[in-house]
Amino acid sequence: MAQQLGPGPRSLARRAYEALKQDILTCALRPGAQIFEGELAARYGMSKTPVREALNLLGQEGLVQVLPRRGYLVAPVTLRDVQEVYQLRLLLETAAAELAAEHITEEQLRRLKALVAVRYTYRDRASYGRFLRANREFHVAVAEASGNRRLAAFVGKLLEDMERILHLGLDLRDSADEMAAEHAELVDALLRGDGALARQVVTAQLQSSRKRVLEALVGSESAASGIRLVAD
């Protein structure tokens, strides 16, 4: 059974967990970095106890690895991580898009169009977080339009699992125009109510996204630091 944090949304353990997870997902704490309870406690302005609770929970989620008597390690990103997440996205998001084309409402289409307008600026890391939140909302909104709540929840979890990978990819290559055009293309397919076309569009886009991310990571000079491009 997964460990639970202390009661109340404002508990110190909850604050430590949310702050630490955010820093890991946005790569403020880079994949493969060694981290220590004392340094993190100072970083977040609290004692070691809530930090330790947060680290234990993040270890259960696979974002942190314990180094006995040597602290902790931010889990590296591996080639297997990238491949597995994209395999699942290809299975789930293509089905979600096909169903969404049949059930999407005008209000849901307006929301998607608004999310398409959110862009990021290459090398402006503050803008990455805003864009990736909008990107996640976009894909989850498509899944929600399918009418299947469980499908939408799975898609949301996959996008969270991908956040570190996408942060690294955004930092290594400017794909802002390409990603905006892809989102707009999917909205157009949904607007037409063409399920087969929506599935085709999502399949092509996810394959393109996987290729783009892998090329960016393989070509990165930092690939040897926290990014393990092996099957693992």
Side-chain angles (χ1 to χ4, degrees), residues 2 16 20-21 27 37-39 43-44 54 70 73-74 84 87 122-123 125 165 168 175 200 203 224:
L20 183 53
K21 185 171 185 176
C27 297
E37 289 178 5
E39 291 178 357
R43 181 186 183 103
Y44 303 127
R70 290 187 294 133
L73 190 76
V74 178
E84 286 184 350
Q87 284 173 357
Y122 185 51
R123 297 294 189 187
R125 295 187 61 80
I165 297 167
L168 292 168
S175 303
Q200 180 182 337
T203 299

Side-chain angles (χ1 to χ4, degrees), residues 39-57:
E39 291 178 357
L40 293 173
R43 181 186 183 103
Y44 303 127
M46 57 184 66
S47 70
K48 291 183 181 180
T49 300
V51 169
R52 186 178 305 119
E53 290 183 50
L55 285 165
N56 288 338
L57 187 56

